[in-house]
Amino acid sequence: MLAYMLRRLAYGGLVVLGVLFFLFVLFFAVATPDDIARRALGEKARPEVLEQWKANHGYDRPLWPWQSFDDNLLFDHYRRMLTFDFGNSDADDVPISRRLREGAGASLSLTIPIFVLGGVLGVLLSLFVAFFRETYIDSMGVFLAVLAMSVSILLYIVGAQYLIAKLLRWFPISGFDPDPAVILRFLALPVLVGIVSGVGGDLRFYRTVFVEESSRDYVRTARAKGAGELRVMVAHVLRNGLIPILTRVVVAIPFLFTGSLLLESFFGIPGLGSLTVDAINGNDFATLRVMVFIGALAFVVGQVLTDLSYSLADPRVRLE
Amino acid sequence: MRVLEVSDLVTGFPAGRERIHVIDGVSLYLEAGETLALVGESGCGKSMTALSILRLVPRPGRVEAGKVLLEGRDLLSLAVPDMRNVRGAEISMIFQEPMTSLNPVARVGKQVVEAIRLHEKVGVPAARERTLELFRRAGIPDAEARLDAYPHQLSGGLKQRVMIAMALATRPKVLIADEPTTALDVTIQAQILELLRELKRDFGTAILLITHDIGVVNELADRVAVMYGGRVVEEGDRSQVLGEPAHPYTQGLLRSMPGFATAHERLAEIPGVVPPPAEWPAGCRFDTRCERVLGHCRSEAPAATPVGEGHRVFCHAVASEIGEAP
């Protein structure tokens, strides 16, 4: 199993290298080092100031190895990412590692409640709907789920801010304060939106899993030996349905750290999601590449964790 | 004494605005300790009869009429929790597919323990101890280690032994065995039949044996009921039904069995195929394939005609023959 994990991690390493390469190519396809400097210093900065800034930040070097094999931005990009030497933001020269430390807490305080509450709600609702499969409760559930999935998350955000924050004044429209006394006031609305926007897709997927499991022979056996419907659903159907559900859930765990791009930026939560959005908007290559790099690592770790969770949940799976 | 008596059972599934009756007036009974074989081709309603008895007909199908009396109690009118106390305790069932009939992610010992603890207030260690005995009794070698095996670690034959151990864990009055050997290798089939015969002798359980295999009937059955098109067409002692089959369908079925045809003779077949339930004829269901069709076969369902002690047949041709003979 260890050998299997190491092999998966090695493949994952290739994925990360590829992601770093495409990030570099795509970024510099739409922006030049001059653009980065201009965004950092302002449009009216004089040319010699721009040159000075570029020299200080290493952007005076050529991009590609064939221009200068010993000193080019691409190799430097790889060297710094692979040694976790993140450096400072191009926008304001703050060390990026400090930004990560500061933002991770805010992101996790948003993503973990959404992940846990949304996941539990999704599983319970879909068990309920699957229990009433092929009745109008089931059809209504599926209809509402598809409806919920079809609405853009932007509408949920704006709608919640308008209705619950502006008209009803239950919670602030946006903002964040990590003080435990008031943090819930700021998190309630984005967490609610996160759960509501995700539960439709979860419900549809989990329901399919549970309905499929409900028709299996072993479920009939469980009923034939006298198990009640609740026991059948929980001890047999849920337990077996866990295997496909893990695929969807475990892979998402590492991404809890990277936060939510839309929720954080719309609700003014200073997490890693809004850090990423700001980096994109501000041509901040130094910050953006770190966020993408972390995202790629999260993807690889998520894949390996998923494999691992299979072998724990399903005795038929052995990682070889 | 009749431990189980099914009368005029009707089970239907919705098809558009109508309902199709896949079981259409089945009556049969099981004396305590005897084995009744329910025989017929695929799709004739054998398994659905079994599921109807246990009230496990998959939705949207349901039992629409009839009575299922277990020692005089009508199971069809029991409240759901009471029915649950019947399933697995008084009537157990083993299924055709041992490969898929066990929960793949639970250890087999635990699954038998669950069956015991659903019906009796015993602790896990005691239930486990009993499971071990049952495994030994069911001829599972190295039983202690097998308690903690997962289904995929056992062969088909061993899985069926686990299913049998599970079904007998609570000493049920009736065991429904739905094609218990069909999915197994021939050598394993013989072992499982031997096990069932031993258990029947030792536990005194009445068995409703569902099969399409006349060989299995010959091995195990005391009486035989032949089903065709959702109805019983002939019923009697094994020697009567297999030795002097009266219904044209039973006769055709036996002629098409290798063991019952004369050596070197080409096996006979029944012409045509079993029509799907939606196309079953109004009168006698065998009407479309029968060699002895009479005028009213098409319109009237045949009533029971006694042709011997406890031997009944549902056929207009047989009825008219007997009516003319004396």
Side-chain angles (χ1 to χ4, degrees):
Chain A
M1 188 166 106
L2 189 66
Y4 177 86
M5 294 308 238
L6 290 176
R7 201 165 65 235
R8 280 304 298 254
L9 282 173
Y11 289 141
L14 293 178
V15 171
V16 172
L17 293 182
V19 167
L20 287 176
F21 180 74
F22 282 111
L23 170 74
F24 187 87
V25 170
L26 290 172
F27 190 90
F28 288 106
V30 295
T32 62
D34 285 316
D35 294 330
I36 303 176
R38 253 196 297 277
R39 285 304 290 265
L41 298 170
E43 290 296 327
K44 288 173 188 150
R46 279 174 289 132
E48 56 270 32
V49 180
L50 285 179
E51 288 307 316
Q52 184 59 45
W53 188 92
K54 273 162 62 184
N56 288 345
H57 291 80
Y59 287 116
D60 54 345
R61 288 171 289 177
L63 290 178
W64 305 106
W66 55 85
Q67 290 166 316
S68 163
F69 191 80
D70 294 330
D71 194 19
N72 60 71
L73 274 173
L74 179 64
F75 282 3
D76 182 60
H77 169 61
Y78 272 117
R79 184 184 59 73
R80 298 185 67 159
M81 288 301 103
L82 297 181
T83 57
F84 294 88
D85 172 15
F86 294 155
N88 299 343
S89 158
D90 286 340
D92 52 15
D93 284 326
V94 174
I96 293 171
S97 50
R98 197 170 90 206
R99 278 275 156 77
L100 293 177
R101 274 197 305 278
E102 289 167 357
S107 279
L108 289 174
S109 68
L110 172 70
T111 51
I112 287 180
I114 294 178
F115 177 77
V116 174
L117 296 177
V120 170
L121 185 72
V123 168
L124 289 182
L125 277 180
S126 46
L127 266 181
F128 178 79
V129 168
F131 182 81
F132 290 102
R133 62 193 166 281
E134 286 169 38
T135 66
Y136 70 97
I137 295 178
D138 181 28
S139 342
M140 275 310 285
V142 174
F143 174 76
L144 289 176
V146 172
L147 191 71
M149 283 168 73
S150 314
V151 174
S152 159
I153 187 171
L154 292 173
L155 193 68
Y156 287 117
I157 293 172
V158 177
Q161 283 178 328
Y162 182 75
L163 274 179
I164 301 176
K166 186 159 184 287
L167 293 185
L168 296 171
R169 295 178 172 279
W170 288 355
F171 302 109
I173 290 179
S174 79
F176 188 74
D177 185 344
D179 179 1
V182 292
I183 189 170
L184 280 182
R185 277 178 49 74
F186 289 104
L187 283 177
L189 211 50
V191 166
L192 182 73
V193 170
I195 290 173
V196 170
S197 65
V199 80
D202 284 353
L203 176 62
R204 231 178 63 89
F205 178 75
Y206 299 158
R207 176 202 166 270
T208 309
V209 169
F210 291 143
V211 167
E212 196 175 309
E213 287 299 325
S214 307
S215 65
R216 301 240 191 250
D217 288 348
Y218 69 82
V219 174
R220 188 180 57 187
T221 305
R223 290 206 179 98
K225 65 186 178 188
E229 280 305 305
L230 190 66
R231 190 181 167 79
V232 168
M233 286 311 271
V234 174
H236 295 273
V237 172
L238 176 62
R239 179 63 186 79
N240 278 277
L242 222 51
I243 298 156
I245 288 174
L246 280 173
T247 322
R248 193 175 164 100
V249 170
V250 175
V251 82
I253 291 176
F255 286 100
L256 297 177
F257 287 96
T258 58
S260 160
L261 300 183
L262 287 170
L263 287 175
E264 287 180 17
S265 37
F266 274 84
F267 284 100
I269 295 166
L272 300 184
S274 53
L275 184 64
T276 310
V277 172
D278 292 345
I280 294 170
N281 290 334
N283 264 359
D284 183 351
F285 181 65
T287 303
L288 182 62
R289 67 177 175 182
V290 171
M291 298 315 299
V292 172
F293 177 58
I294 291 175
L297 290 180
F299 175 79
V300 171
V301 171
Q303 300 283 317
V304 174
L305 282 180
T306 303
D307 283 351
L308 195 62
S309 69
Y310 276 159
S311 71
L312 294 178
D314 189 342
R316 290 162 296 185
V317 174
R318 312 209 51 171
L319 302 181
E320 298 293 344
Chain B
M1 191 199 63
R2 291 184 179 180
V3 57
L4 183 75
E5 185 156 12
V6 175
S7 46
D8 304 319
L9 187 72
V10 177
T11 298
F13 282 81
R17 281 190 200 153
E18 296 169 19
R19 294 188 72 87
I20 292 177
H21 295 146
V22 295
I23 306 289
D24 198 3
V26 164
S27 299
L28 42 87
Y29 63 89
L30 207 50
E31 300 277 356
E34 79 164 352
T35 300
L36 170 69
L38 197 54
V39 187
E41 287 167 88
S42 316
C44 70
K46 299 172 302 212
S47 298
M48 204 49 77
T49 303
L51 292 176
S52 302
I53 291 170
L54 280 173
R55 284 170 55 183
L56 287 174
V57 175
R59 276 186 295 195
R62 64 183 166 84
V63 178
E64 293 176 19
K67 278 201 168 82
V68 176
L69 301 179
L70 178 71
E71 295 184 327
R73 244 181 338 153
D74 186 4
L75 299 185
L76 297 182
S77 57
L78 284 186
V80 168
D82 296 333
M83 188 61 214
R84 215 180 290 147
N85 291 332
V86 170
R87 288 186 201 128
E90 296 181 76
I91 306 181
S92 289
M93 183 158 176
I94 53 181
F95 298 96
Q96 178 172 359
E97 284 293 339
M99 306 299 166
T100 54
S101 292
L102 289 162
N103 185 336
V105 300
R107 299 176 193 275
V108 291
K110 202 182 140 200
Q111 300 189 46
V112 180
V113 166
E114 184 192 14
I116 295 173
R117 280 167 49 86
L118 278 168
H119 299 289
E120 291 172 38
K121 284 194 189 327
V122 289
V124 173
R128 200 177 145 87
E129 200 55 43
R130 250 172 70 191
T131 303
L132 182 60
E133 272 169 47
L134 286 160
F135 273 25
R136 292 202 175 113
R137 191 65 200 74
I140 295 171
D142 201 6
E144 190 137 22
R146 294 276 159 62
L147 282 178
D148 289 324
Y150 287 102
H152 72 275
Q153 293 165 328
L154 303 180
S155 67
L158 280 183
K159 272 185 254 199
Q160 198 60 299
R161 285 176 194 268
V162 170
M163 288 295 292
I164 291 171
M166 184 153 78
L168 294 176
T170 50
R171 293 196 160 243
K173 300 181 182 103
V174 176
L175 173 68
I176 301 177
D178 186 358
E179 308 257 9
T181 57
T182 306
L184 303 175
D185 288 345
V186 180
T187 48
I188 310 297
Q189 282 184 9
Q191 294 173 13
I192 295 291
L193 288 178
E194 181 55 35
L195 173 64
L196 283 174
R197 195 173 320 135
E198 276 174 38
L199 294 174
K200 175 184 152 189
R201 192 185 60 219
D202 299 353
F203 286 62
T205 309
I207 302 179
L208 178 60
L209 176 73
I210 295 172
T211 182
H212 64 264
D213 184 341
I214 299 294
V216 173
V217 176
N218 231 357
E219 289 281 326
L220 225 52
D222 302 310
R223 287 191 308 116
V224 180
V226 181
M227 277 189 80
Y228 186 87
R231 290 180 187 153
V232 172
V233 295
E234 182 164 3
E235 185 191 356
D237 287 345
R238 180 186 64 193
S239 56
Q240 293 169 331
V241 176
L242 298 189
E244 312 144 31
H247 197 284
Y249 174 65
T250 315
Q251 292 168 348
L253 196 64
L254 292 179
R255 270 201 306 273
S256 66
M257 300 284 167
F260 288 78
T262 322
H264 307 299
E265 187 188 331
R266 198 181 157 86
L267 283 179
E269 53 176 324
I270 304 174
V273 291
V274 188
E279 290 162 26
W280 282 345
C284 174
R285 296 282 158 82
F286 191 55
D287 167 275
T288 52
R289 301 167 74 189
C290 187
E291 304 165 332
R292 300 171 63 186
V293 189
L294 302 176
H296 54 306
C297 287
R298 194 132 301 180
S299 51
E300 280 171 50
T305 307
V307 287
E309 179 73 34
H311 188 185
R312 304 189 303 163
V313 62
F314 295 75
C315 176
H316 290 304
V318 174
S320 64
E321 202 173 88
I322 288 177
E324 284 160 18

